[in-house]
Amino acid sequence: MVSINSLYYSLIVFLVSFGSSFTVSGQSGWKLAEDRDGIKVFTRPVQNSKIKAIKVECNLQATSSQLVAAILDIKTCGEWVYNSKKNIPIKQISPLDLIYYAEVEVPWPVENRDYVVHIKVDQQPQTKVVTVNSPCIPGYVDEKEGIVRISQSVAKWTITPMGKNQVKAEYVLEVDPMGSIPAWLTNLFATKGPYETFRKLKVHVQKEVYKKADFASITD
């Protein structure tokens, strides 16, 4: 029998890195659901949806460029995003603007999910706050038989410098995993998946290749 934990991770956690509902809402109404190892996970109801929104806050020992480089390194997201099966870059528009395809493996009897995301990074010159917006793009890639396409989604990273080699990362996600998935099952473990993903991200971002990252349009 598929464990509830594994099923939840497969449906929600894979989106924590890049996105998926349908506007990233304001800041009110969040309820703290998990606070461990410097990782805070919040949830709140979403209007006209049975699926709760998720917000994650975490301080990281990294520069903004370092974290952005890790997020944009699509081929390695399987190392820190739970149950990621495929991550294929489709189009590199600029160093901070890309489109990619991903498939997540979901335990039987639920079908795998896939999605296409457009990631775009911007920095506010005065505050140096970096935002990473990553909405899904419906219709960009043909749907595949036996895989449910995530077509409506919004996610946003906000990366705020906190001092030398330290940033505060905030991630907000609202997602409809599509298909016949009980909302109570998806929401039941809504904190464990994001926590595990960020726990791995704290380690993953320390790779030397990311520490050397340098983007012309990002000032650390």
Side-chain angles (χ1 to χ4, degrees):
M1 183 174 68
V2 179
S3 73
I4 292 177
N5 292 42
S6 296
L7 184 57
Y8 175 77
Y9 290 157
S10 302
L11 298 179
I12 288 288
V13 180
F14 77 97
L15 293 171
V16 166
S17 64
F18 307 107
S20 271
S21 327
F22 307 134
T23 58
V24 174
S25 310
Q27 295 299 310
S28 62
W30 292 107
K31 180 180 179 181
L32 181 64
E34 185 76 59
D35 187 355
R36 281 193 291 158
D37 302 323
I39 303 168
K40 293 183 178 181
V41 183
F42 303 81
T43 64
R44 72 171 175 199
V46 175
Q47 187 175 6
N48 300 321
S49 175
K50 295 181 180 181
I51 308 300
K52 291 180 180 179
I54 294 171
K55 179 172 72 169
V56 187
E57 294 179 353
C58 179
N59 283 10
L60 299 170
Q61 294 295 321
T63 64
S64 296
S65 294
Q66 188 175 339
L67 179 53
V68 166
I71 293 171
L72 294 179
D73 191 3
I74 303 304
K75 293 180 180 180
T76 69
C77 66
E79 298 177 14
W80 60 283
V81 181
Y82 191 89
N83 251 32
S84 180
K85 182 178 181 179
K86 292 181 182 179
N87 300 279
I88 304 171
I90 296 174
K91 185 177 182 180
Q92 187 80 47
I93 300 167
S94 75
L96 297 175
D97 190 346
L98 63 86
I99 297 171
Y100 82 101
Y101 167 87
E103 179 186 346
V104 60
E105 188 171 9
V106 180
W108 183 90
V110 180
E111 295 174 308
N112 284 4
R113 263 56 180 171
D114 70 356
Y115 56 102
V116 178
V117 172
H118 184 185
I119 303 178
K120 190 172 183 179
V121 183
D122 294 290
Q123 184 177 49
Q124 211 288 331
Q126 286 71 40
T127 64
K128 296 184 181 180
V129 172
V130 174
T131 57
V132 184
N133 287 294
S134 49
C136 284
I137 309 175
Y140 198 87
V141 171
D142 291 340
E143 295 186 21
K144 303 178 186 299
E145 185 177 355
I147 301 176
V148 176
R149 173 64 48 86
I150 300 291
S151 59
Q152 295 177 310
S153 72
V154 172
K156 181 180 180 180
W157 291 83
T158 302
I159 303 168
T160 305
M162 301 297 290
K164 185 176 181 181
N165 295 326
Q166 187 176 71
V167 296
K168 177 183 178 181
E170 178 186 286
Y171 182 81
V172 178
L173 168 67
E174 296 181 12
V175 56
D176 183 349
M178 311 296 286
S180 56
I181 301 168
W184 67 266
L185 181 59
T186 307
N187 290 326
L188 185 59
F189 287 90
T191 61
K192 291 188 177 182
Y195 166 78
E196 289 297 331
T197 295
F198 268 73
R199 183 180 64 83
K200 291 182 179 180
L201 175 60
K202 291 172 74 173
V203 176
H204 184 78
V205 76
Q206 298 305 320
K207 288 187 174 184
E208 286 299 320
V209 65
Y210 304 139
K211 292 181 179 181
K212 297 175 182 178
D214 182 25
F215 299 99
S217 54
I218 293 181
T219 302
D220 291 317

